[in-house]
Amino acid sequence: MKHYILLSLILVFGNITTVKPAVMDNQLAKSNSLSTIRILPLGNVSQTTLFVVKNSLIKFYNLKVEVLPEKPLITDLLAKSKTRYEANKILSKFNSDDNLMIITEKDIAIKYKRRNSDEWGIFGIGYCPGKTCLVSTFRLKRHATEALFKERMEKVCIHEVGHNLGLNHCKFDPKCIMNDANGTISQVDREKLFFCSRCKKLISRK
């Protein structure tokens, strides 16, 4: 049964160290039927953002990436407040048999019972396992330089594809990109662009 994994969420900003993206083995990507990812811009998404996402996925997962034509954000996808969009509605509407990453610049939220919230703002969400994930740039841009925003985008996108590949949040290595942010973006900033040895083994067994 598919369930959702979310990348946490409340924004507390920290310093980062720029790191060179690690590249996943060709054999590892192929073993998970991950040869192509399609990027779907939802609403207006800047070409710069699409370029960053496309190249980060190519470098890290060593696969083909295609950018699809933009789809409009319709009012049916709005959350109850009508000020942001409900992530689960978007995933459900665009759920695909192909590997699909949906990118939006609008704020997204989920219902989060543990926080007693009908609209809990998030960075991204994806099926685990599955083939569809969603990333929003909205919260990643806050108080961020261009370089910091770029690195956050890379990390969140790679993280969500990791969930699609069947990885849950990592508790083995605090710098693994599959760590749960635990309510703070400073954890995202502490992570490095790599799968720890345990997560890499888990993927190769699937």
Side-chain angles (χ1 to χ4, degrees), residues 65-132:
V65 179
E66 300 174 2
V67 179
L68 301 175
E70 174 189 313
K71 292 283 187 180
L73 272 164
I74 58 176
T75 56
D76 288 350
L77 299 175
L78 283 168
K80 186 177 180 180
S81 69
K82 306 299 182 184
T83 61
R84 48 190 170 182
Y85 292 84
E86 190 168 315
N88 288 333
K89 286 183 180 179
I90 295 173
L91 278 185
S92 178
K93 180 175 178 62
F94 295 102
N95 189 23
S96 175
D97 291 331
D98 298 319
N99 293 298
L100 182 70
M101 172 170 286
I102 307 161
I103 303 290
T104 183
E105 294 188 353
K106 299 296 185 180
D107 198 13
I108 59 174
I110 61 167
K111 293 180 180 179
Y112 194 24
K113 291 182 180 179
R114 286 179 58 189
R115 296 281 182 172
N116 195 29
S117 175
D118 287 334
E119 292 186 25
W120 185 259
I122 61 173
F123 305 142
I125 188 171
Y127 290 119
C128 181
K131 293 192 174 182
T132 308

Side-chain angles (χ1 to χ4, degrees), residues 10 22 47 50 54 60 71 76 94-95 176:
I10 301 176
Q47 291 301 309
L50 294 175
K54 179 178 179 178
F60 190 89
K71 292 283 187 180
D76 288 350
F94 295 102
N95 189 23
C176 175

